[in-house]
Amino acid sequence: MLHEMAVKFYEQLLETTAVRNDLAEQKELVLNRVEELATGNVRKISFCQWCGGPTKHEIPSGEEKMRAICTVCGKIAYQNPKMVVGCLIEHDNQVLLCKRKIQPSYGLWTLPAGYMEIGESAAEGAIRETWEEANAEVEGLSPFAQLDIPLIGQTYIIFLAKLKKPQFSPGPESSECQLFALNDIPFNSLAFSSMFVTLNLYIEDVKAGKPKFHYGTIKKR
């Protein structure tokens, strides 16, 4: 019903205005939004991960969101956010950044970070990602920021850390690794909004002379 009302509303507008192209684009945006509200921003799953049978998408009894339900074994596929962990490394009043050698955001700068693996803690994952992306060994980890990004189903946990020794080099996923003074951080060339927010929070803490833990939500459009 909601979808049909949106279609009818925009068809009427298209009949009564000369700005047809712009309204057609707006119609598409609204219909996409209607779809998101109905499905709860879930990724469409076509086949069951347990038995390989085809799925149907509907709201299970007692729930509120659209789910992929196997038509063969009846199991429900639940999609959960992914955890991204990494390190904000301090060294001689500088921070270590890596230039990405892979997509997404090829050629842009980021803190060493990546998806947490099964069987490791958040801190262990951050240490591993730092080694993989920057060949850097770190110590003295302390939680600095948790940033939730609901629209893409990700949560970032970033730790403050120190280099065990001043040695680092690009890993397979990085083309460069470099220490930046705070005034030289390439904010116009950062890979992700989470990095932009994290580094700005860090600079604010440095200016205040007192680091603290930060929690926030990044609302992407």
Side-chain angles (χ1 to χ4, degrees):
M1 179 63 71
L2 184 59
H3 186 278
E4 293 175 354
M5 292 174 61
V7 172
K8 185 175 180 180
F9 172 73
Y10 271 96
E11 285 177 346
Q12 291 174 346
L13 283 177
L14 286 169
E15 290 173 357
T16 57
T17 180
V19 194
R20 295 180 182 273
N21 289 337
D22 289 344
L23 284 173
E25 291 178 4
Q26 292 296 322
K27 173 185 175 182
E28 185 67 23
L29 289 173
V30 165
L31 295 183
N32 287 342
R33 183 54 180 157
V34 170
E35 177 80 6
E36 289 176 4
L37 290 172
T39 62
N41 290 324
V42 299
R43 175 176 56 86
K44 289 294 180 68
I45 298 174
S46 299
F47 299 97
C48 177
Q49 61 183 305
W50 291 279
C51 74
T55 63
K56 60 182 179 179
H57 289 80
E58 59 184 41
I59 301 175
S61 176
E63 298 194 23
E64 298 178 350
K65 289 190 175 183
M66 193 83 71
R67 310 286 188 188
I69 305 171
C70 182
T71 58
V72 178
C73 70
K75 289 187 177 180
I76 302 172
Y78 291 95
Q79 299 177 57
N80 304 109
K82 292 187 175 181
M83 187 78 72
V84 180
V85 291
C87 288
L88 197 169
I89 300 166
E90 308 168 296
H91 183 76
D92 290 340
N93 298 315
Q94 299 173 299
V95 295
L96 181 65
L97 299 181
C98 301
K99 181 177 281 190
R100 289 178 62 82
K101 194 178 177 180
I102 59 172
Q103 295 290 2
S105 301
Y106 178 93
L108 300 180
W109 294 93
T110 180
L111 297 171
Y115 291 119
M116 197 169 109
E117 300 281 1
I118 297 294
E120 65 184 7
S121 68
E124 289 169 343
I127 291 170
R128 174 185 52 76
E129 286 289 341
T130 301
W131 174 254
E132 292 177 356
E133 297 188 6
N135 288 310
E137 294 185 83
V138 293
E139 60 186 359
L141 274 69
S142 60
F144 175 69
Q146 177 182 332
L147 301 172
D148 296 336
I149 313 180
L151 186 62
I152 60 175
Q154 292 182 356
T155 288
Y156 279 74
I157 295 182
I158 303 297
F159 294 85
L160 289 180
K162 303 285 187 183
L163 289 172
K164 285 186 178 180
K165 45 191 174 183
Q167 295 177 2
F168 52 86
S169 60
E173 298 182 358
S174 306
S175 59
E176 297 179 45
C177 293
Q178 184 177 331
L179 287 168
F180 287 90
L182 300 191
N183 291 333
D184 296 328
I185 293 174
F187 279 102
N188 291 330
S189 301
L190 292 179
F192 307 110
S193 57
S194 54
M195 301 296 108
F196 184 88
V197 172
T198 299
L199 288 165
N200 271 293
L201 290 172
Y202 177 71
I203 289 174
E204 290 177 5
D205 284 2
V206 170
K207 290 179 178 178
K210 185 179 180 181
K212 58 183 180 181
F213 177 75
H214 301 269
Y215 171 75
T217 300
I218 297 175
K219 296 183 178 179
K220 287 181 173 289
R221 295 184 177 183

